[in-house]
Amino acid sequence: MIPSTSLRSHPFSFPIHSSSPKKNAASYTSNSNDMRQSSSVHIPFADILPKKEILYFLSASDFKKFSLINRHCQTSMQAYLSQPAHYLKENKKYFKNSLVEILHFISNKSATSQKILFLLKRLFMVFHTNLDFSESFLDKKLTNREMYFIAHALKERGNKCAILNLSHTLIEDAVFNVLIRNTPNLKEITLQRCPNISAQNLSNLLIHCSKLENLDLRGMDISRMMIRTIAQHGRYLKDLCLNHVNFKADISAFTDVEVKALVKGCPNLEKLDISGAVDVTDKGLMEVAKHSKQLKVFTFSRAKKITYIGIKSLAENCSKIKGIFLKDSQVKDYHTEALKRIYPHIMFLCHKDGIIDFVRSYTRSV
């Protein structure tokens, strides 16, 4: 058992009543009701802690240290997640460590579904506004089964969630529908390289999450139907990223026709990225200039059919635009220099290495 003196000095400790350090674990269990009534005790699960020892987590990183005591791990985590909110900071490190441990129970089937849902709900009571389940954050690709538990655990606090990152997860249609029903107030969602999301699911997302402003579909396998779905239901979108989406079914699906439908259906777009749409021409950019009056940033790599005419049309007609970023286009350096002199308030970048990394950092600041 961890010495009580060290616990009291640690910011993530569980304060213990001054008269209780000499009592054994059994007395903690038998007097759990008295403990709850004491203002100095903050563990509402004292009655379910192990009788031989009571484990106190000093921080979320201690999960792995105590996971060696496998039979006590679940109840110990319950004790940790039972801390008052002011003991836990809104820090991604704590969220990540806690979530990874809970997901470990799912993968090795060491806990019942009821206990897993209980732990996830306790976690989401503290962390719920900005949820990141991406592979790059968790260092693992979440399976559909793991996303199933997460989706159902968000039933109570999901309405507080504003930002959701599902990049590289293997979430499927049924679970995704549960997730979006439980997170109706989403403002931003990232679905980068999620292979199992259909056009119908994308439609459900835009319908159920009426406050959605940012939609990131980078690298996804999409179809002409998905483009039309976004155009039909995305009238409130402000940031749309279709960077190098993959048209496996129809390699020529993203043309000037689809661009026109998108910008007509999404009149409030402020940031638009259609990088990789090699069949879009100056005519498509003219449609963007005509319908996207709120546009601030436009990004387009592999713009092989774009010339000076298209980029000039954007600069002339989009009064709020601040940045136009092209790569692999037919726009020459002297064209760019001429445009800079005419429109000094607009940043033009063309043909430069590292443009995409620069654009991502720039667009976050606009």
Side-chain angles (χ1 to χ4, degrees), residues 25 40-41 59 79 87 107 114 141 177 318 336 358:
S40 60
V41 174
S59 70
Y87 278 103
S107 60
Q114 185 177 3
K141 186 178 291 188
N177 280 330
C318 299
T336 306
F358 173 81

Side-chain angles (χ1 to χ4, degrees), residues 71-349:
R71 62 197 179 92
H72 296 325
C73 199
Q74 295 167 35
T75 51
S76 300
M77 187 179 291
Q78 286 175 340
Y80 171 76
L81 295 174
S82 302
Q83 298 180 80
H86 65 270
Y87 278 103
L88 294 173
K89 297 180 180 179
E90 194 75 24
N91 187 305
K92 283 194 171 186
K93 181 186 73 173
Y94 299 118
F95 173 75
K96 176 182 177 179
N97 292 337
S98 304
L99 182 61
V100 168
E101 276 299 319
I102 297 173
L103 295 179
H104 181 68
F105 296 148
I106 300 175
S107 60
N108 64 16
K109 299 180 180 179
S110 59
T112 64
S113 298
Q114 185 177 3
K115 287 185 177 180
I116 292 171
L117 283 173
F118 171 80
L119 293 174
L120 285 171
K121 287 178 180 179
R122 296 295 304 181
L123 182 64
F124 294 144
M125 285 181 68
V126 179
F127 303 97
H128 46 255
T129 56
N130 184 347
L131 298 176
D132 191 345
F133 304 115
S134 64
E135 182 181 17
S136 60
F137 176 62
L138 296 176
D139 301 319
K140 64 170 292 183
K141 186 178 291 188
L142 296 190
T143 64
N144 188 60
R145 175 174 167 77
E146 290 169 330
M147 289 305 307
Y148 168 87
F149 284 102
I150 289 171
H152 284 276
L154 281 169
K155 183 176 181 180
E156 295 176 6
R157 289 301 179 99
N159 62 334
K160 304 288 185 181
C161 182
I163 302 174
L164 183 62
N165 190 341
L166 301 176
S167 298
H168 294 85
T169 61
L170 300 176
I171 188 169
E172 297 177 3
D173 280 358
V175 176
F176 186 74
N177 280 330
V178 174
L179 182 62
I180 60 178
R181 283 200 302 270
N182 290 339
T183 54
N185 296 317
L186 277 180
K187 291 187 176 180
E188 178 180 336
I189 187 169
T190 302
L191 300 174
Q192 181 181 357
R193 298 190 183 280
C194 293
N196 302 322
I197 295 179
S198 64
Q200 182 60 48
N201 259 343
L202 196 59
S203 176
N204 292 340
L205 168 67
L206 294 170
I207 292 172
H208 287 291
C209 303
S210 57
K211 297 180 181 179
L212 192 67
E213 296 179 353
N214 298 2
L215 178 60
D216 189 341
L217 302 178
R218 271 177 292 167
M220 271 191 63
D221 295 336
I222 68 174
S223 62
R224 191 186 297 263
M225 180 62 70
M226 280 191 172
I227 297 293
R228 292 175 179 173
T229 296
I230 297 171
Q232 183 178 358
H233 301 290
R235 60 186 176 277
Y236 298 117
L237 288 178
K238 293 183 179 180
D239 188 344
L240 177 60
C241 182
L242 299 173
N243 188 311
H244 288 87
V245 291
N246 189 9
F247 291 97
K248 284 187 176 180
D250 185 356
I251 199 167
S252 298
F254 207 160
T255 63
D256 294 336
V257 175
E258 279 64 49
V259 170
K260 181 179 179 179
L262 272 178
V263 294
K264 286 186 69 175
C266 308
N268 297 307
L269 283 178
E270 296 179 1
K271 301 174 186 177
L272 177 61
D273 186 346
I274 56 171
S275 297
V278 296
D279 294 310
V280 174
T281 67
D282 287 337
K283 184 178 179 181
L285 263 63
M286 290 177 184
E287 293 296 337
V288 175
K290 180 180 178 182
H291 298 286
S292 300
K293 299 303 181 182
Q294 306 299 319
L295 194 65
K296 294 180 180 178
V297 179
F298 179 74
T299 309
F300 192 5
S301 66
R302 296 183 66 192
K304 297 181 178 180
K305 298 183 179 181
I306 300 302
T307 68
Y308 171 78
I309 297 173
I311 192 173
K312 187 173 184 293
S313 177
L314 284 176
E316 282 182 348
N317 296 285
C318 299
S319 59
K320 296 185 179 181
I321 200 159
K322 297 180 179 179
I324 299 176
F325 308 110
L326 300 180
K327 188 177 181 181
D328 302 327
S329 70
Q330 297 182 37
V331 180
K332 307 300 181 183
D333 288 338
Y334 60 85
H335 287 150
T336 306
E337 293 302 322
L339 288 169
K340 287 180 180 178
R341 288 193 295 271
I342 301 172
Y343 307 101
H345 64 286
I346 301 176
M347 179 179 289
F348 296 91
L349 277 183

